[in-house]
Amino acid sequence: MNRFRIIVALALIYMVFAILLNSVGTVILQSIASFGIDKPEASALERYKDLTIAVASFAVASFLPLMGYRRSMMLALAIVGVACVMMPLHPGFLTTRLLFASVGFSFALTKVGVYSSIGLLTADKAAHGRLTNTIEGLFMVGVLGGNWLFSLYVDPANPADPAWLNVYWTLAGLCAVTLLLLASARLDESAAHLHGHNRSSTDAMLEMARLLARPLVYVFLVSVFLYPMIEQSFGTWLPTFNNEVLKLPNAMSIQFASILAGMIGLGRFLAVLALRRVHWYALLNACVIGMAALVVVALPLAHGVAARPGVDWFHAPLAAYLIPLLGLLMGPIYPVINSVSLSSLPKPMHAAMTGLIVVVSALGGTTGSYVTARVFAGFGGIHAFYFSLVPISLMLVSLFFFKRKVDGVPPGVAMAGETP
């Protein structure tokens, strides 16, 4: 097994899906302009993506070890590559919904494959945490690059021009290149089948049942549900917030939203360093409390912003810079809690656990986006973003109970290779 090559392949496929998944905020903004739909209807894109992720993850996660993690990721790239080609060939909101359904199904295959492969490539909790944060950090680099990529195809003089759909030719090409790289990489997946695990469909189904017998899993999944409620609320609706509340042009609204993705990525890279000196629980509590404080400080600055012709990066409202800084604090939370949970389980159970992570994350993300859309449409963007204080507060509580359960896991269980 060429460890470096497979890690590069995992990072690249994750970055490709980062661009596609997190383009939903940009595509919502452009769909409203190009296809003449309203906000609640546009928010359906989030549901097409997240609910498909949830259903697909529940259906296939336990069976992926039988299919093979590498093969499943190659299949995912092929599916989304075809979907990207269809966007400029058959423009319309129906095609857009089918695209995000395809992306959701394919990401379910990809995320289970990537997270399970991390367990195969690392030998202890510390290494698992570092590689998880690195790959999740690169995921946000993909989000950042994706926002700028989409903004290059938006006509500032005519935002409704469907020429922005040509971005999908570039994305289809990225899928093809990544598929070829993954096809040339090799991954030893034998550890996923140790001690009789995952050798048949019955074994695969039993893995999920074994997980559901662990109290740690339930407490962990609450945190996994709450985090995407927060991230997707801001990530999906920040371009529209920038445009309608902060009065920025469409292209600039997308570019400013990319700061959030950049800060999330930076937060995850910094967490790799911070975790060498700070306990994960202390780090995450500081991040959650800091997020709440920043929301309270930044949102009042968004009141009463007036539209100004010729606004540029040096004369944008202060809130346009402050709100994306939430990403710096938001970034470490998701990869750290995922790593702590997965590294507390035997490797053969990682695929089933990742399936549950993806299901619950998708449900949390689509719930947060939908609620934000309804509040945004009914009461305005500022009130919609204040809603994030509810899941932020609940996150503090869930982390407390999660730590108690993790502390109760016997040392050495993660590497035992058998179900305790």
Side-chain angles (χ1 to χ4, degrees):
M1 177 171 63
N2 188 314
R3 187 174 184 275
F4 178 75
R5 182 180 296 182
I6 193 65
I7 288 175
V8 171
L10 294 179
L12 285 177
I13 189 174
Y14 226 44
M15 292 175 74
V16 168
F17 274 94
I19 297 171
L20 289 164
L21 285 166
N22 290 274
S23 68
V24 65
T26 298
V27 176
I28 283 175
L29 176 63
Q30 290 305 115
S31 294
I32 291 172
S34 297
F35 304 137
I37 58 176
D38 59 19
K39 291 184 183 69
E41 186 179 1
S43 72
L45 294 179
E46 191 79 57
R47 295 196 295 278
Y48 271 84
K49 170 175 69 76
D50 287 338
L51 294 181
T52 307
I53 291 174
V55 172
S57 298
F58 188 79
V60 307
S62 294
F63 297 90
L64 248 59
L66 300 175
M67 178 181 180
Y69 302 138
R70 189 175 65 92
R71 289 195 192 98
S72 68
M73 290 185 281
M74 291 172 63
L75 174 62
L77 285 167
I79 292 172
V80 296
V82 172
C84 285
V85 169
M86 297 302 295
M87 282 293 287
L89 294 180
H90 299 280
F93 195 58
L94 174 60
T95 310
T96 307
R97 285 179 285 184
L98 292 175
L99 168 75
F100 280 103
S102 299
V103 170
F105 175 80
S106 300
F107 184 64
L109 299 176
T110 298
K111 187 158 187 175
V112 175
V114 169
Y115 265 65
S116 300
S117 298
I118 290 173
L120 299 175
L121 293 165
T122 54
D124 54 44
K125 286 189 177 185
H128 194 288
R130 289 193 296 270
L131 185 54
T132 302
N133 269 283
T134 299
I135 289 181
E136 286 285 357
L138 290 170
F139 182 88
M140 299 314 301
V141 172
V143 176
L144 174 61
N147 283 328
W148 281 88
L149 179 65
F150 270 81
S151 70
L152 294 176
Y153 287 84
V154 176
D155 184 354
N158 182 18
D161 188 341
W164 64 274
L165 293 167
N166 288 321
V167 70
Y168 288 102
W169 290 115
T170 302
L171 293 174
L174 287 174
C175 289
V177 170
T178 308
L179 192 156
L180 291 174
L181 178 61
L182 195 60
S184 69
R186 293 293 179 265
L187 176 65
D188 180 5
E189 302 182 22
S190 58
H193 306 279
L194 288 175
H195 303 286
H197 289 264
N198 298 316
R199 294 188 181 277
S200 67
S201 58
T202 301
D203 287 338
M205 295 177 66
L206 286 174
E207 293 300 340
M208 194 77 76
R210 292 186 186 104
L211 280 174
L212 295 177
R214 295 169 177 256
L216 166 69
V217 171
Y218 293 99
V219 178
F220 163 69
L221 292 178
V222 172
S223 299
V224 171
F225 180 84
L226 292 170
Y227 173 81
M229 282 192 71
I230 303 166
E231 182 182 316
Q232 292 301 317
S233 295
F234 287 99
T236 300
W237 289 99
L238 190 53
T240 305
F241 181 92
N242 289 339
N243 179 248
E244 296 192 4
V245 178
L246 301 183
K247 311 302 181 185
L248 298 177
N250 282 46
M252 188 177 289
S253 297
I254 297 168
Q255 292 165 355
F256 261 97
S258 72
I259 300 175
L260 177 68
M263 290 295 102
I264 292 176
L266 179 59
R268 288 174 180 174
F269 289 130
L270 293 176
V272 175
L273 303 175
L275 289 170
R276 297 178 184 272
R277 298 177 177 272
V278 181
H279 190 271
W280 67 267
Y281 180 65
L283 174 66
L284 296 195
N285 271 279
C287 289
V288 173
I289 294 170
M291 286 168 56
L294 190 53
V295 167
V296 172
V297 169
L299 288 182
L301 299 175
H303 283 284
V305 175
R308 291 183 294 174
V311 64
D312 57 27
W313 279 78
F314 299 101
H315 299 91
L318 181 59
Y321 297 97
L322 288 180
I323 293 174
L325 292 179
L326 285 165
L328 194 63
L329 301 166
M330 193 184 299
I333 297 173
Y334 189 69
V336 169
I337 58 175
N338 285 345
S339 179
V340 170
S341 177
L342 287 170
S343 58
S344 298
L345 296 170
K347 288 181 180 180
M349 303 184 79
H350 284 198
M353 186 68 221
T354 304
L356 290 176
I357 290 172
V358 178
V359 170
V360 176
S361 296
L363 294 175
T366 198
T367 300
S369 179
Y370 179 74
V371 172
T372 302
R374 302 303 300 186
V375 178
F376 203 126
F379 302 97
I382 294 175
H383 287 87
F385 279 4
Y386 268 125
F387 169 78
S388 66
L389 291 173
V390 175
I392 286 173
S393 301
L394 294 174
M395 177 69 75
L396 277 177
V397 179
S398 69
L399 286 175
F400 172 77
F401 288 103
F402 179 51
K403 180 180 182 297
R404 290 185 62 180
K405 293 298 181 182
V406 169
D407 288 346
V409 175
V413 164
M415 308 310 302
E418 59 190 25
T419 307

